[in-house]
C-alpha cells in the first residue's frame, strides 16, 4: 500500500504556494513538466492571483480552471489547511477536451466538496452492513438498477465508529468512476482486516492491456474520470485514508485503508444524526455522474 502523502510518482505535477502566490514546494513531475518554475517564483504565470485570494478566504475549497503559460489543459486548485498554515495547491492535468460543458461539470463536482467535508457525523456501523446498504440504495436508482455487484463480506462484525457520510461518498464515487470504465462486468467490493488495518477494495475485471500502479498513471490512462478521483483522494487526505490504484492487464483495483478515519474512542465528533442513507447516496450519485452520463443511462 502506498502512502497517500507521498509527493512523488503517484501525484500529477503539483505546486504548493503560500497565499501570496509564491511557490514553496514542487514535486518532481512539476520540476520536469513545468520547467523552469522553481521555489520562490510566482504562480501568477498559471492562475490569476486575484482568483486565488478570493478562493482562499474559505477553507476546504477545490476548484478547476484552465491554466495559462503551460502545456496542460486543466489545473485543480485546492485550499489546504486553515489560518496561518493555509496554502494553495495546484495540480496540473491533460484533458481529452476542455469545453465549457466539461469545465462546468467539473466545477459543479468540486462545489460540493466543502459540504461533504463538513458532514462530520460519526456513528456506529458494521462495515458489511454499510456496504450492503450503499449497494441497495444505488440499485434502487434507475441508473444502476441492473448493475451487478459482487460483495465479499468481512469476517469482522464489530461495530465501528466512522463518518458514514464520508465513507459512503468514497464507496459511491469510486463505484461510479469504475463503472464509467467498465459497465458490463460486475464491480467487486471486499472489506478486510489486514495486520490490524481495515481495507476497502473496489475492483472490476476488464481488458486494459496495461500493467501500472499509482494515481497519476491511473489518471493518465482514464482522463475522463480524473476530476472525480481528485475529489475522492482529497477526501482521503482529509480523513487520513491511504489509497492505492493498481492496473493489471485484466483488472483495475483500488484499495483504501480506512483505519485512521475510525473513531477509536467511541466519542462523537458531532451529534449522531443519521441522514436518510438512500437520499444521501442519491445525492452523491448526482454529484459524481455528469449530465452526459445521466442522459445515456436514463
Amino acid at each position: 500500500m502506498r502512502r497517500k502523502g507521498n509527493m512523488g510518482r503517484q501525484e500529477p505535477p503539483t505546486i504548493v504556494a503560500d497565499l501570496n502566490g509564491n511557490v514553496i514546494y514542487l514535486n518532481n513531475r512539476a520540476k520536469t513538466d513545468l520547467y523552469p518554475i522553481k521555489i520562490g517564483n510566482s504562480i501568477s504565470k498559471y492562475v490569476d492571483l486575484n482568483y486565488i485570494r478570493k478562493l482562499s478566504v474559505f477553507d476546504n475549497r477545490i476548484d478547476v480552471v484552465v491554466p495559462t503559460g503551460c502545456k496542460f489543459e486543466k489545473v485543480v486548485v485546492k485550499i489546504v489547511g486553515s489560518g496561518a498554515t493555509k496554502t494553495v495547491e495546484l495540480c496540473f492535468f491533460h484533458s481529452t477536451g476542455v469545453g465549457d460543458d466539461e469545465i462546468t461539470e467539473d466545477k459543479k463536482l468540486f462545489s460540493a466538496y466543502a459540504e461533504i467535508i463538513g458532514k462530520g457525523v460519526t456513528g456506529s456501523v458494521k462495515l458489511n452492513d454499510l456496504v450492503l446498504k450503499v449497494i441497495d440504495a444505488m440499485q434502487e436508482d434507475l441508473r444502476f438498477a441492473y448493475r451487478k455487484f459482487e460483495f465479499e463480506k468481512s469476517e469482522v462484525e464489530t461495530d465501528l465508529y466512522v463518518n458514514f457520510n464520508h465513507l459512503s461518498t468514497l464507496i459511491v464515487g469510486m463505484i461510479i468512476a469504475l463503472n464509467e470504465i467498465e459497465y458490463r462486468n460486475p464491480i467487486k467490493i471486499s472489506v478486510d482486516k489486514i495486520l490490524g488495518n481495515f481495507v476497502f477494495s473496489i475492483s472490476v475485471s476488464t481488458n486494459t492491456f496495461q500493467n501500472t500502479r499509482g494515481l497519476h498513471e491511473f489518471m493518465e490512462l482514464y482522463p475522463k474520470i480524473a476530476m472525480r478521483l481528485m475529489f475522492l483522494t482529497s477526501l482521503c487526505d482529509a480523513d487520513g485514508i491511504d489509497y492505492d490504484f493498481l492496473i493489471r492487464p485484466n483488472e483495475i483495483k483500488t484499495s483504501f485503508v480506512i483505519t485512521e478515519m475510525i473513531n477509536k474512542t467511541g466519542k462523537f465528533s458531532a451529534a449522531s444524526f443519521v441522514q436518510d442513507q438512500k437520499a444521501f447516496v442519491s445525492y452523491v450519485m448526482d454529484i459524481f455522474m455528469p449530465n452526459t452520463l445521466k442522459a445515456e443511462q436514463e
Side-chain angles (χ1 to χ4, degrees):
M1 190 65 59
R2 296 188 178 186
R3 180 66 186 170
K4 67 183 185 330
N6 282 347
M7 302 295 268
R9 187 167 176 77
Q10 278 236 357
E11 290 193 333
T14 301
I15 295 174
V16 179
D18 61 27
L19 295 187
N20 293 319
N22 299 315
V23 176
I24 57 177
Y25 174 82
L26 296 159
N27 69 359
N28 289 333
R29 287 186 180 272
K31 291 176 183 177
T32 300
D33 294 340
L34 298 169
Y35 180 83
I37 189 73
K38 59 184 179 181
I39 291 176
N41 288 170
S42 174
I43 59 174
S44 59
K45 177 180 180 180
Y46 309 114
V47 292
D48 182 4
L49 290 185
N50 287 328
Y51 156 78
I52 294 295
R53 293 186 186 101
K54 291 177 182 177
L55 192 67
S56 66
V57 171
F58 307 97
D59 295 335
N60 299 318
R61 290 303 170 103
I62 306 180
D63 196 13
V64 59
V65 295
V66 178
T68 57
C70 67
K71 62 183 180 181
F72 295 94
E73 292 82 31
K74 288 182 181 179
V75 57
V76 173
V77 183
K78 298 171 62 177
I79 304 302
V80 181
S82 60
T85 64
K86 190 179 291 186
T87 58
V88 181
E89 184 176 292
L90 305 181
C91 299
F92 294 80
F93 295 91
H94 286 302
S95 175
T96 53
V98 185
D100 290 341
D101 290 343
E102 183 175 337
I103 290 293
T104 298
E105 287 174 355
D106 292 341
K107 284 181 173 292
K108 285 181 180 178
L109 170 68
F110 289 130
S111 69
Y113 180 77
E115 181 179 356
I116 293 291
I117 284 291
K119 291 184 178 296
V121 180
T122 304
S124 177
V125 298
K126 287 183 172 67
L127 296 181
N128 288 334
D129 291 346
L130 175 65
V131 175
L132 288 172
K133 288 178 181 178
V134 168
I135 291 174
D136 288 345
M138 292 187 75
Q139 289 183 318
E140 288 190 13
D141 189 295
L142 289 177
R143 293 167 287 182
F144 270 74
Y146 302 101
R147 193 65 176 91
K148 294 180 180 179
F149 294 91
E150 295 179 1
F151 177 43
E152 181 180 336
K153 292 185 180 181
S154 170
E155 295 180 359
V156 179
E157 287 290 341
T158 308
D159 276 14
L160 301 171
Y161 287 93
V162 299
N163 186 315
F164 37 78
N165 284 333
H166 287 193
L167 192 52
S168 296
T169 300
L170 182 59
I171 296 169
V172 173
M174 199 66 244
I175 286 173
I176 289 173
L178 290 183
N179 183 72
E180 191 160 344
I181 297 171
E182 171 56 64
Y183 62 89
R184 294 163 294 187
N185 292 331
I187 288 179
K188 304 171 186 176
I189 305 172
S190 65
V191 181
D192 301 290
K193 190 174 184 182
I194 303 172
L195 299 176
N197 286 313
F198 294 93
V199 182
F200 266 100
S201 295
I202 306 175
S203 63
V204 66
S205 297
T206 187
N207 293 324
T208 70
F209 307 105
Q210 301 283 341
N211 196 347
T212 188
R213 190 171 202 160
L215 176 61
H216 184 65
E217 285 81 359
F218 199 103
M219 290 176 171
E220 286 187 327
L221 286 173
Y222 303 105
K224 63 183 178 180
I225 64 170
M227 297 299 101
R228 278 166 275 184
L229 294 183
M230 281 300 295
F231 188 110
L232 294 176
T233 54
S234 296
L235 181 61
C236 287
D237 291 344
D239 283 344
I241 297 174
D242 289 357
Y243 51 78
D244 193 25
F245 294 84
L246 177 62
I247 298 175
R248 299 187 179 101
N250 62 347
E251 180 190 41
I252 296 172
K253 184 176 183 179
T254 63
S255 299
F256 303 89
V257 181
I258 66 163
T259 308
E260 290 301 317
M261 79 177 300
I262 294 171
N263 185 340
K264 300 177 181 65
T265 67
K267 296 178 180 178
F268 295 106
S269 59
S272 56
F273 170 75
V274 182
Q275 180 178 359
D276 181 82
Q277 194 156 23
K278 291 180 181 178
F280 184 73
V281 168
S282 180
Y283 166 68
V284 176
M285 291 178 72
D286 288 343
I287 292 171
F288 278 85
M289 296 182 77
N291 293 328
T292 51
L293 186 58
K294 287 184 190 179
E296 290 173 2
Q297 297 196 6
E298 286 180 347

